[in-house]
Amino acid sequence: MKEKSLFQSLIGAFQIAVLLLPVHFLNEILLIKLDNVIIPMVIIPAISAFITGLSVYSTTLKQAFAKIILSVPFTVLFWYLQIKMKFSIRSLNWIIPDYGESSAGGNFANFVILCSLAFSGFLALVIFTVLSDVNIPDKIQAVLFNLQKYLALPLCIAVIAVIIVLNNIMPMYNPIYG
């Protein structure tokens, strides 16, 4: 039974890492393409927070904390890979030709979006961790676990597949100096 619990913790930690970061890049693109600030600043962080929080939900508080702690190295690794692939810059230059690098204002907007994502994600992790300690009815637990299994896990797999496909489709980014 311990192996199953460890395996579930590792899967939950991996889901948290994978689902947190691509939303930042999606928000960056939406902020540029849309005139509406509410969608990238409020709606998408709320959806991301719900799905990320759903990944941390467990039957015990100990397992929920294990998922959060184990997600830290996965998140750092995933973020490092995204930076090394220059995924954000490549995607923006692919969608908006000759976009180049982000300006100072663009970097500030990215920072604000990242802060809103981090805050909403942190709030969701706290809420779903607390829910892991609360004695809730079996029917609601079953619904949460089914959502975790049939929504968060397939979404995590889809995000990885989309990143792999986009990484092969998008041209490499070669800044022109001069």
Side-chain angles (χ1 to χ4, degrees), residues 5-19 51-52 54-58 63 66-68 70-71 74 125 148 153 156:
S5 176
L6 178 64
F7 184 68
Q8 287 175 339
S9 295
L10 285 172
I11 287 176
F14 187 72
Q15 286 176 357
I16 292 167
V18 169
L19 295 173
I51 294 172
T52 304
L54 195 59
S55 297
V56 85
Y57 180 74
S58 303
Q63 189 177 17
K67 286 180 181 181
I68 292 173
L70 289 172
S71 73
F74 286 128
L125 290 178
Q148 190 179 65
L153 185 59
C156 179

Side-chain angles (χ1 to χ4, degrees), residues 94-155:
W94 183 53
I95 291 171
I96 305 165
D98 299 324
Y99 176 80
E101 296 277 341
S102 291
S103 65
N107 285 334
F108 178 73
N110 289 339
F111 176 72
V112 171
I113 288 173
L114 192 57
C115 287
S116 75
L117 284 170
F119 178 73
S120 60
F122 174 74
L123 215 59
L125 290 178
V126 168
I127 290 168
F128 278 91
T129 303
V130 169
L131 279 179
S132 297
D133 194 37
V134 174
N135 192 7
I136 60 176
D138 290 340
K139 287 183 180 181
I140 296 174
Q141 269 190 350
V143 168
L144 289 172
F145 281 126
N146 283 335
L147 280 173
Q148 190 179 65
K149 193 182 338 178
Y150 298 118
L151 177 70
L153 185 59
L155 194 59

